[in-house]
mmCIF file of all heavy atoms in Angstrom:
data_model
loop_
_atom_site.group_PDB
_atom_site.id
_atom_site.type_symbol
_atom_site.label_atom_id
_atom_site.label_comp_id
_atom_site.label_asym_id
_atom_site.label_seq_id
_atom_site.Cartn_x
_atom_site.Cartn_y
_atom_site.Cartn_z
ATOM 1 N N PRO H 133 0.829 -1.209 -0.019
ATOM 2 C CA PRO H 133 -0.010 -0.003 -0.029
ATOM 3 C C PRO H 133 0.857 1.263 0.012
ATOM 4 O O PRO H 133 1.937 1.306 0.624
ATOM 5 C CB PRO H 133 -0.792 -0.131 1.312
ATOM 6 C CG PRO H 133 -0.756 -1.584 1.620
ATOM 7 C CD PRO H 133 0.528 -2.064 1.168
ATOM 8 N N PRO H 134 0.452 2.319 -0.638
ATOM 9 C CA PRO H 134 1.174 3.524 -0.704
ATOM 10 C C PRO H 134 1.200 4.266 0.656
ATOM 11 O O PRO H 134 0.347 3.956 1.544
ATOM 12 C CB PRO H 134 0.460 4.343 -1.746
ATOM 13 C CG PRO H 134 -0.939 3.894 -1.715
ATOM 14 C CD PRO H 134 -0.874 2.418 -1.358
ATOM 15 N N SER H 135 2.093 5.204 0.805
ATOM 16 C CA SER H 135 2.115 6.043 1.992
ATOM 17 C C SER H 135 1.126 7.193 1.853
ATOM 18 O O SER H 135 0.712 7.504 0.748
ATOM 19 C CB SER H 135 3.506 6.583 2.224
ATOM 20 O OG SER H 135 3.915 7.307 1.136
ATOM 21 N N GLY H 136 0.765 7.836 2.910
ATOM 22 C CA GLY H 136 -0.211 8.923 2.877
ATOM 23 C C GLY H 136 -1.627 8.473 2.827
ATOM 24 O O GLY H 136 -1.950 7.320 3.210
ATOM 25 N N SER H 137 -2.489 9.355 2.261
ATOM 26 C CA SER H 137 -3.883 9.029 2.169
ATOM 27 C C SER H 137 -4.202 7.939 1.110
ATOM 28 O O SER H 137 -3.560 7.865 0.108
ATOM 29 C CB SER H 137 -4.653 10.332 1.760
ATOM 30 O OG SER H 137 -6.009 10.032 1.569
ATOM 31 N N TRP H 138 -5.186 7.112 1.455
ATOM 32 C CA TRP H 138 -5.598 6.045 0.526
ATOM 33 C C TRP H 138 -6.930 6.325 -0.106
ATOM 34 O O TRP H 138 -7.517 5.521 -0.859
ATOM 35 C CB TRP H 138 -5.795 4.691 1.294
ATOM 36 C CG TRP H 138 -4.483 4.179 1.853
ATOM 37 C CD1 TRP H 138 -3.235 4.680 1.661
ATOM 38 C CD2 TRP H 138 -4.364 3.093 2.772
ATOM 39 N NE1 TRP H 138 -2.289 3.953 2.278
ATOM 40 C CE2 TRP H 138 -2.932 2.941 3.039
ATOM 41 C CE3 TRP H 138 -5.213 2.188 3.361
ATOM 42 C CZ2 TRP H 138 -2.460 1.913 3.862
ATOM 43 C CZ3 TRP H 138 -4.704 1.213 4.211
ATOM 44 C CH2 TRP H 138 -3.349 1.075 4.488
ATOM 45 N N GLU H 139 -7.526 7.502 0.131
ATOM 46 C CA GLU H 139 -8.858 7.817 -0.347
ATOM 47 C C GLU H 139 -9.005 7.625 -1.841
ATOM 48 O O GLU H 139 -9.996 7.139 -2.344
ATOM 49 C CB GLU H 139 -9.234 9.224 0.050
ATOM 50 C CG GLU H 139 -9.359 9.509 1.518
ATOM 51 C CD GLU H 139 -10.584 8.868 2.166
ATOM 52 O OE1 GLU H 139 -11.368 8.242 1.422
ATOM 53 O OE2 GLU H 139 -10.714 9.002 3.383
ATOM 54 N N GLU H 140 -7.970 8.083 -2.635
ATOM 55 C CA GLU H 140 -8.064 8.048 -4.088
ATOM 56 C C GLU H 140 -7.564 6.703 -4.630
ATOM 57 O O GLU H 140 -7.762 6.429 -5.853
ATOM 58 C CB GLU H 140 -7.243 9.169 -4.694
ATOM 59 C CG GLU H 140 -7.722 10.569 -4.275
ATOM 60 C CD GLU H 140 -9.150 10.810 -4.744
ATOM 61 O OE1 GLU H 140 -9.542 10.285 -5.819
ATOM 62 O OE2 GLU H 140 -9.866 11.480 -4.009
ATOM 63 N N GLU H 141 -6.885 5.873 -3.829
ATOM 64 C CA GLU H 141 -6.283 4.632 -4.320
ATOM 65 C C GLU H 141 -7.218 3.448 -4.073
ATOM 66 O O GLU H 141 -7.169 2.470 -4.831
ATOM 67 C CB GLU H 141 -4.978 4.439 -3.599
ATOM 68 C CG GLU H 141 -3.944 5.502 -3.783
ATOM 69 C CD GLU H 141 -3.606 5.684 -5.240
ATOM 70 O OE1 GLU H 141 -3.549 4.698 -6.010
ATOM 71 O OE2 GLU H 141 -3.348 6.869 -5.655
ATOM 72 N N VAL H 142 -8.054 3.562 -3.078
ATOM 73 C CA VAL H 142 -8.975 2.392 -2.709
ATOM 74 C C VAL H 142 -10.260 2.574 -3.524
ATOM 75 O O VAL H 142 -10.881 3.611 -3.550
ATOM 76 C CB VAL H 142 -9.291 2.416 -1.245
ATOM 77 C CG1 VAL H 142 -10.384 1.379 -0.883
ATOM 78 C CG2 VAL H 142 -8.070 2.154 -0.426
ATOM 79 N N THR H 143 -10.672 1.528 -4.187
ATOM 80 C CA THR H 143 -11.922 1.529 -5.003
ATOM 81 C C THR H 143 -13.132 1.073 -4.174
ATOM 82 O O THR H 143 -14.255 1.405 -4.517
ATOM 83 C CB THR H 143 -11.747 0.619 -6.223
ATOM 84 O OG1 THR H 143 -11.493 -0.710 -5.830
ATOM 85 C CG2 THR H 143 -10.621 1.131 -7.123
ATOM 86 N N GLY H 144 -12.874 0.341 -3.090
ATOM 87 C CA GLY H 144 -13.958 -0.085 -2.293
ATOM 88 C C GLY H 144 -13.545 -0.876 -1.061
ATOM 89 O O GLY H 144 -12.448 -1.410 -1.020
ATOM 90 N N ILE H 145 -14.467 -0.922 -0.084
ATOM 91 C CA ILE H 145 -14.293 -1.776 1.087
ATOM 92 C C ILE H 145 -15.211 -3.022 0.977
ATOM 93 O O ILE H 145 -16.421 -2.827 0.843
ATOM 94 C CB ILE H 145 -14.587 -1.003 2.427
ATOM 95 C CG1 ILE H 145 -13.596 0.182 2.563
ATOM 96 C CG2 ILE H 145 -14.519 -1.889 3.625
ATOM 97 C CD1 ILE H 145 -13.829 1.072 3.731
ATOM 98 N N ASP H 146 -14.572 -4.171 0.972
ATOM 99 C CA ASP H 146 -15.357 -5.385 0.686
ATOM 100 C C ASP H 146 -16.094 -5.851 1.947
ATOM 101 O O ASP H 146 -17.264 -6.276 1.851
ATOM 102 C CB ASP H 146 -14.418 -6.489 0.132
ATOM 103 C CG ASP H 146 -13.747 -6.055 -1.144
ATOM 104 O OD1 ASP H 146 -14.386 -5.239 -1.908
ATOM 105 O OD2 ASP H 146 -12.622 -6.505 -1.400
ATOM 106 N N ALA H 147 -15.439 -5.876 3.090
ATOM 107 C CA ALA H 147 -16.095 -6.431 4.284
ATOM 108 C C ALA H 147 -15.344 -6.052 5.529
ATOM 109 O O ALA H 147 -14.184 -5.548 5.451
ATOM 110 C CB ALA H 147 -16.155 -7.960 4.146
ATOM 111 N N CYS H 148 -16.002 -6.249 6.656
ATOM 112 C CA CYS H 148 -15.352 -6.070 7.951
ATOM 113 C C CYS H 148 -15.707 -7.311 8.821
ATOM 114 O O CYS H 148 -16.843 -7.779 8.761
ATOM 115 C CB CYS H 148 -15.899 -4.822 8.716
ATOM 116 S SG CYS H 148 -15.443 -3.312 7.836
ATOM 117 N N GLU H 149 -14.796 -7.724 9.603
ATOM 118 C CA GLU H 149 -15.052 -8.840 10.504
ATOM 119 C C GLU H 149 -14.201 -8.748 11.720
ATOM 120 O O GLU H 149 -13.080 -8.125 11.754
ATOM 121 C CB GLU H 149 -14.844 -10.138 9.820
ATOM 122 C CG GLU H 149 -13.411 -10.468 9.421
ATOM 123 C CD GLU H 149 -13.292 -11.863 8.823
ATOM 124 O OE1 GLU H 149 -14.253 -12.488 8.542
ATOM 125 O OE2 GLU H 149 -12.126 -12.229 8.616
ATOM 126 N N GLY H 150 -14.681 -9.396 12.812
ATOM 127 C CA GLY H 150 -13.857 -9.389 14.073
ATOM 128 C C GLY H 150 -14.670 -8.771 15.186
ATOM 129 O O GLY H 150 -15.723 -8.159 15.048
ATOM 130 N N ALA H 151 -14.173 -8.924 16.360
ATOM 131 C CA ALA H 151 -14.772 -8.405 17.557
ATOM 132 C C ALA H 151 -14.323 -6.957 17.769
ATOM 133 O O ALA H 151 -13.387 -6.516 17.158
ATOM 134 C CB ALA H 151 -14.429 -9.284 18.747
ATOM 135 N N GLU H 152 -15.013 -6.284 18.666
ATOM 136 C CA GLU H 152 -14.652 -4.896 18.983
ATOM 137 C C GLU H 152 -13.215 -4.808 19.490
ATOM 138 O O GLU H 152 -12.788 -5.583 20.372
ATOM 139 C CB GLU H 152 -15.582 -4.362 20.078
ATOM 140 C CG GLU H 152 -15.379 -2.859 20.334
ATOM 141 C CD GLU H 152 -16.365 -2.324 21.327
ATOM 142 O OE1 GLU H 152 -17.304 -3.052 21.708
ATOM 143 O OE2 GLU H 152 -16.216 -1.157 21.737
ATOM 144 N N GLY H 153 -12.476 -3.901 18.879
ATOM 145 C CA GLY H 153 -11.084 -3.756 19.243
ATOM 146 C C GLY H 153 -10.157 -4.611 18.409
ATOM 147 O O GLY H 153 -8.913 -4.419 18.447
ATOM 148 N N ASN H 154 -10.691 -5.488 17.687
ATOM 149 C CA ASN H 154 -9.895 -6.316 16.739
ATOM 150 C C ASN H 154 -10.619 -6.573 15.375
ATOM 151 O O ASN H 154 -10.738 -7.700 14.944
ATOM 152 C CB ASN H 154 -9.580 -7.651 17.425
ATOM 153 C CG ASN H 154 -8.538 -8.516 16.696
ATOM 154 O OD1 ASN H 154 -7.699 -7.937 16.006
ATOM 155 N ND2 ASN H 154 -8.562 -9.793 16.874
ATOM 156 N N VAL H 155 -11.077 -5.517 14.781
ATOM 157 C CA VAL H 155 -11.812 -5.589 13.512
ATOM 158 C C VAL H 155 -10.823 -5.491 12.392
ATOM 159 O O VAL H 155 -9.925 -4.603 12.349
ATOM 160 C CB VAL H 155 -12.843 -4.452 13.412
ATOM 161 C CG1 VAL H 155 -13.596 -4.496 12.074
ATOM 162 C CG2 VAL H 155 -13.814 -4.532 14.581
ATOM 163 N N ILE H 156 -10.991 -6.367 11.407
ATOM 164 C CA ILE H 156 -10.123 -6.397 10.166
ATOM 165 C C ILE H 156 -10.985 -5.909 9.038
ATOM 166 O O ILE H 156 -12.191 -6.400 8.806
ATOM 167 C CB ILE H 156 -9.586 -7.761 9.910
ATOM 168 C CG1 ILE H 156 -8.740 -8.252 11.087
ATOM 169 C CG2 ILE H 156 -8.833 -7.752 8.617
ATOM 170 C CD1 ILE H 156 -7.565 -7.382 11.344
ATOM 171 N N VAL H 157 -10.448 -5.017 8.221
ATOM 172 C CA VAL H 157 -11.162 -4.437 7.076
ATOM 173 C C VAL H 157 -10.505 -4.946 5.781
ATOM 174 O O VAL H 157 -9.287 -4.869 5.636
ATOM 175 C CB VAL H 157 -11.130 -2.890 7.089
ATOM 176 C CG1 VAL H 157 -11.915 -2.329 5.868
ATOM 177 C CG2 VAL H 157 -11.792 -2.401 8.380
ATOM 178 N N TYR H 158 -11.342 -5.415 4.802
ATOM 179 C CA TYR H 158 -10.804 -5.894 3.484
ATOM 180 C C TYR H 158 -10.994 -4.856 2.436
ATOM 181 O O TYR H 158 -12.137 -4.374 2.198
ATOM 182 C CB TYR H 158 -11.557 -7.195 3.182
ATOM 183 C CG TYR H 158 -11.272 -8.321 4.132
ATOM 184 C CD1 TYR H 158 -12.059 -8.439 5.284
ATOM 185 C CD2 TYR H 158 -10.258 -9.207 3.926
ATOM 186 C CE1 TYR H 158 -11.836 -9.463 6.208
ATOM 187 C CE2 TYR H 158 -10.009 -10.234 4.871
ATOM 188 C CZ TYR H 158 -10.780 -10.332 5.995
ATOM 189 O OH TYR H 158 -10.553 -11.352 6.892
ATOM 190 N N LEU H 159 -9.846 -4.508 1.773
ATOM 191 C CA LEU H 159 -9.934 -3.411 0.756
ATOM 192 C C LEU H 159 -9.695 -3.970 -0.641
ATOM 193 O O LEU H 159 -8.894 -4.970 -0.827
ATOM 194 C CB LEU H 159 -8.837 -2.385 1.070
ATOM 195 C CG LEU H 159 -8.885 -1.712 2.483
ATOM 196 C CD1 LEU H 159 -7.768 -0.646 2.557
ATOM 197 C CD2 LEU H 159 -10.236 -1.037 2.679
ATOM 198 N N THR H 160 -10.189 -3.231 -1.650
ATOM 199 C CA THR H 160 -9.860 -3.480 -3.071
ATOM 200 C C THR H 160 -9.223 -2.200 -3.671
ATOM 201 O O THR H 160 -9.844 -1.118 -3.473
ATOM 202 C CB THR H 160 -11.048 -3.870 -3.930
ATOM 203 O OG1 THR H 160 -11.563 -5.066 -3.367
ATOM 204 C CG2 THR H 160 -10.692 -4.068 -5.369
ATOM 205 N N TRP H 161 -8.094 -2.329 -4.273
ATOM 206 C CA TRP H 161 -7.347 -1.166 -4.739
ATOM 207 C C TRP H 161 -7.454 -1.033 -6.261
ATOM 208 O O TRP H 161 -7.898 -1.944 -6.933
ATOM 209 C CB TRP H 161 -5.826 -1.307 -4.407
ATOM 210 C CG TRP H 161 -5.579 -1.452 -2.960
ATOM 211 C CD1 TRP H 161 -5.687 -2.559 -2.197
ATOM 212 C CD2 TRP H 161 -5.158 -0.409 -2.097
ATOM 213 N NE1 TRP H 161 -5.369 -2.273 -0.885
ATOM 214 C CE2 TRP H 161 -5.008 -0.956 -0.810
ATOM 215 C CE3 TRP H 161 -4.808 0.956 -2.286
ATOM 216 C CZ2 TRP H 161 -4.542 -0.229 0.279
ATOM 217 C CZ3 TRP H 161 -4.385 1.676 -1.175
ATOM 218 C CH2 TRP H 161 -4.218 1.131 0.075
ATOM 219 N N LYS H 162 -7.100 0.158 -6.759
ATOM 220 C CA LYS H 162 -6.990 0.314 -8.171
ATOM 221 C C LYS H 162 -5.987 -0.610 -8.774
ATOM 222 O O LYS H 162 -4.840 -0.734 -8.220
ATOM 223 C CB LYS H 162 -6.569 1.786 -8.531
ATOM 224 C CG LYS H 162 -7.621 2.846 -8.234
ATOM 225 C CD LYS H 162 -7.106 4.222 -8.613
ATOM 226 C CE LYS H 162 -8.207 5.270 -8.350
ATOM 227 N NZ LYS H 162 -7.678 6.655 -8.690
ATOM 228 N N GLY H 163 -6.316 -1.330 -9.787
ATOM 229 C CA GLY H 163 -5.462 -2.329 -10.410
ATOM 230 C C GLY H 163 -5.817 -3.708 -9.953
ATOM 231 O O GLY H 163 -5.244 -4.680 -10.406
ATOM 232 N N GLY H 164 -6.823 -3.805 -9.037
ATOM 233 C CA GLY H 164 -7.321 -5.120 -8.665
ATOM 234 C C GLY H 164 -6.650 -5.761 -7.462
ATOM 235 O O GLY H 164 -7.040 -6.867 -7.035
ATOM 236 N N HIS H 165 -5.671 -5.094 -6.851
ATOM 237 C CA HIS H 165 -5.041 -5.626 -5.684
ATOM 238 C C HIS H 165 -5.985 -5.635 -4.471
ATOM 239 O O HIS H 165 -6.830 -4.740 -4.376
ATOM 240 C CB HIS H 165 -3.753 -4.830 -5.318
ATOM 241 C CG HIS H 165 -2.727 -4.808 -6.425
ATOM 242 N ND1 HIS H 165 -2.069 -5.922 -6.805
ATOM 243 C CD2 HIS H 165 -2.303 -3.784 -7.234
ATOM 244 C CE1 HIS H 165 -1.212 -5.588 -7.804
ATOM 245 N NE2 HIS H 165 -1.402 -4.329 -8.056
ATOM 246 N N LYS H 166 -5.834 -6.656 -3.625
ATOM 247 C CA LYS H 166 -6.635 -6.751 -2.457
ATOM 248 C C LYS H 166 -5.701 -6.867 -1.236
ATOM 249 O O LYS H 166 -4.616 -7.423 -1.275
ATOM 250 C CB LYS H 166 -7.573 -7.991 -2.514
ATOM 251 C CG LYS H 166 -8.647 -7.843 -3.601
ATOM 252 C CD LYS H 166 -9.579 -9.009 -3.546
ATOM 253 C CE LYS H 166 -10.639 -8.967 -4.615
ATOM 254 N NZ LYS H 166 -11.555 -7.785 -4.416
ATOM 255 N N SER H 167 -6.181 -6.281 -0.129
ATOM 256 C CA SER H 167 -5.388 -6.388 1.126
ATOM 257 C C SER H 167 -6.355 -6.232 2.283
ATOM 258 O O SER H 167 -7.523 -5.872 2.166
ATOM 259 C CB SER H 167 -4.377 -5.214 1.141
ATOM 260 O OG SER H 167 -4.981 -3.941 1.134
ATOM 261 N N GLN H 168 -5.805 -6.522 3.523
ATOM 262 C CA GLN H 168 -6.610 -6.415 4.697
ATOM 263 C C GLN H 168 -5.777 -5.663 5.789
ATOM 264 O O GLN H 168 -4.576 -5.810 5.873
ATOM 265 C CB GLN H 168 -6.942 -7.794 5.242
ATOM 266 C CG GLN H 168 -5.805 -8.689 5.508
ATOM 267 C CD GLN H 168 -6.256 -10.136 5.836
ATOM 268 O OE1 GLN H 168 -7.217 -10.600 5.340
ATOM 269 N NE2 GLN H 168 -5.505 -10.779 6.694
ATOM 270 N N HIS H 169 -6.530 -4.809 6.572
ATOM 271 C CA HIS H 169 -5.882 -3.935 7.558
ATOM 272 C C HIS H 169 -6.714 -3.781 8.773
ATOM 273 O O HIS H 169 -7.968 -3.910 8.712
ATOM 274 C CB HIS H 169 -5.620 -2.543 6.919
ATOM 275 C CG HIS H 169 -4.910 -2.618 5.580
ATOM 276 N ND1 HIS H 169 -3.580 -2.677 5.455
ATOM 277 C CD2 HIS H 169 -5.399 -2.720 4.314
ATOM 278 C CE1 HIS H 169 -3.239 -2.737 4.165
ATOM 279 N NE2 HIS H 169 -4.363 -2.734 3.455
ATOM 280 N N PRO H 170 -6.156 -3.437 9.906
ATOM 281 C CA PRO H 170 -6.899 -3.221 11.101
ATOM 282 C C PRO H 170 -7.730 -1.961 10.965
ATOM 283 O O PRO H 170 -7.404 -1.005 10.228
ATOM 284 C CB PRO H 170 -5.867 -3.061 12.175
ATOM 285 C CG PRO H 170 -4.610 -2.692 11.499
ATOM 286 C CD PRO H 170 -4.672 -3.383 10.166
ATOM 287 N N LEU H 171 -8.898 -1.953 11.636
ATOM 288 C CA LEU H 171 -9.833 -0.790 11.492
ATOM 289 C C LEU H 171 -9.203 0.534 11.882
ATOM 290 O O LEU H 171 -9.453 1.561 11.303
ATOM 291 C CB LEU H 171 -11.021 -1.093 12.417
ATOM 292 C CG LEU H 171 -12.174 -0.034 12.337
ATOM 293 C CD1 LEU H 171 -12.734 0.136 10.967
ATOM 294 C CD2 LEU H 171 -13.267 -0.381 13.346
ATOM 295 N N SER H 172 -8.331 0.503 12.878
ATOM 296 C CA SER H 172 -7.670 1.747 13.299
ATOM 297 C C SER H 172 -6.853 2.353 12.206
ATOM 298 O O SER H 172 -6.789 3.571 12.029
ATOM 299 C CB SER H 172 -6.787 1.435 14.566
ATOM 300 O OG SER H 172 -5.792 0.475 14.170
ATOM 301 N N GLN H 173 -6.223 1.549 11.374
ATOM 302 C CA GLN H 173 -5.416 2.038 10.264
ATOM 303 C C GLN H 173 -6.374 2.611 9.209
ATOM 304 O O GLN H 173 -6.006 3.620 8.510
ATOM 305 C CB GLN H 173 -4.557 0.937 9.641
ATOM 306 C CG GLN H 173 -3.505 1.416 8.605
ATOM 307 C CD GLN H 173 -2.684 0.312 8.091
ATOM 308 O OE1 GLN H 173 -2.988 -0.849 8.213
ATOM 309 N NE2 GLN H 173 -1.509 0.679 7.608
ATOM 310 N N ILE H 174 -7.516 2.013 8.960
ATOM 311 C CA ILE H 174 -8.435 2.487 7.942
ATOM 312 C C ILE H 174 -8.987 3.858 8.358
ATOM 313 O O ILE H 174 -9.149 4.790 7.526
ATOM 314 C CB ILE H 174 -9.642 1.474 7.795
ATOM 315 C CG1 ILE H 174 -9.105 0.133 7.324
ATOM 316 C CG2 ILE H 174 -10.654 2.041 6.780
ATOM 317 C CD1 ILE H 174 -8.383 0.140 6.011
ATOM 318 N N TYR H 175 -9.235 4.045 9.651
ATOM 319 C CA TYR H 175 -9.692 5.388 10.072
ATOM 320 C C TYR H 175 -8.693 6.476 9.787
ATOM 321 O O TYR H 175 -9.078 7.637 9.550
ATOM 322 C CB TYR H 175 -9.958 5.366 11.575
ATOM 323 C CG TYR H 175 -11.251 4.683 11.975
ATOM 324 C CD1 TYR H 175 -11.373 4.047 13.196
ATOM 325 C CD2 TYR H 175 -12.308 4.680 11.134
ATOM 326 C CE1 TYR H 175 -12.595 3.397 13.555
ATOM 327 C CE2 TYR H 175 -13.530 4.029 11.443
ATOM 328 C CZ TYR H 175 -13.634 3.388 12.716
ATOM 329 O OH TYR H 175 -14.789 2.808 13.022
ATOM 330 N N LYS H 176 -7.403 6.175 9.784
ATOM 331 C CA LYS H 176 -6.335 7.141 9.534
ATOM 332 C C LYS H 176 -6.113 7.353 8.040
ATOM 333 O O LYS H 176 -5.894 8.506 7.623
ATOM 334 C CB LYS H 176 -5.027 6.676 10.191
ATOM 335 C CG LYS H 176 -5.008 6.700 11.701
ATOM 336 C CD LYS H 176 -3.698 6.188 12.235
ATOM 337 C CE LYS H 176 -3.678 6.168 13.742
ATOM 338 N NZ LYS H 176 -2.393 5.685 14.284
ATOM 339 N N ARG H 177 -6.194 6.281 7.291
ATOM 340 C CA ARG H 177 -5.779 6.367 5.847
ATOM 341 C C ARG H 177 -6.973 6.739 4.927
ATOM 342 O O ARG H 177 -6.771 7.499 4.009
ATOM 343 C CB ARG H 177 -5.202 5.048 5.421
ATOM 344 C CG ARG H 177 -3.935 4.673 6.147
ATOM 345 C CD ARG H 177 -2.773 5.558 5.789
ATOM 346 N NE ARG H 177 -1.533 5.016 6.416
ATOM 347 C CZ ARG H 177 -0.355 5.582 6.225
ATOM 348 N NH1 ARG H 177 -0.231 6.673 5.555
ATOM 349 N NH2 ARG H 177 0.765 5.065 6.839
ATOM 350 N N CYS H 178 -8.121 6.192 5.198
ATOM 351 C CA CYS H 178 -9.272 6.448 4.264
ATOM 352 C C CYS H 178 -10.614 6.500 5.069
ATOM 353 O O CYS H 178 -11.388 5.582 4.923
ATOM 354 C CB CYS H 178 -9.315 5.475 3.118
ATOM 355 S SG CYS H 178 -9.274 3.698 3.630
ATOM 356 N N PRO H 179 -10.735 7.410 5.962
ATOM 357 C CA PRO H 179 -11.958 7.494 6.831
ATOM 358 C C PRO H 179 -13.216 7.679 5.993
ATOM 359 O O PRO H 179 -14.284 7.186 6.352
ATOM 360 C CB PRO H 179 -11.687 8.662 7.731
ATOM 361 C CG PRO H 179 -10.658 9.464 7.036
ATOM 362 C CD PRO H 179 -9.792 8.522 6.313
ATOM 363 N N GLN H 180 -13.144 8.415 4.869
ATOM 364 C CA GLN H 180 -14.344 8.657 4.051
ATOM 365 C C GLN H 180 -14.829 7.359 3.403
ATOM 366 O O GLN H 180 -16.028 7.148 3.265
ATOM 367 C CB GLN H 180 -13.988 9.706 3.002
ATOM 368 C CG GLN H 180 -13.677 11.090 3.555
ATOM 369 C CD GLN H 180 -14.824 11.690 4.274
ATOM 370 O OE1 GLN H 180 -15.998 11.524 3.945
ATOM 371 N NE2 GLN H 180 -14.489 12.332 5.407
#
């Protein structure tokens, strides 16, 4: 994943799973790449 904001690089959020305090978010990027990140990181990189 690139540094800085992900708002323009992420095409969509596919799903979220996990308990409170340990939620994992699944992302799809431009170019078709997929990755997963903790919810706290998503709030910093692409809150919108």
Side-chain angles (χ1 to χ4, degrees):
S135 59
S137 174
W138 295 352
E139 296 287 359
E140 299 299 326
E141 302 298 326
V142 173
T143 60
I145 296 178
D146 300 330
C148 294
E149 67 177 8
E152 185 177 352
N154 191 26
V155 178
I156 300 299
V157 181
Y158 296 86
L159 304 180
T160 298
W161 301 79
K162 290 180 179 179
H165 300 292
K166 294 183 180 295
S167 62
Q168 57 187 33
H169 307 273
L171 181 60
S172 59
Q173 188 177 22
I174 299 301
Y175 283 152
K176 292 180 181 179
R177 299 291 189 177
C178 52
Q180 295 299 321

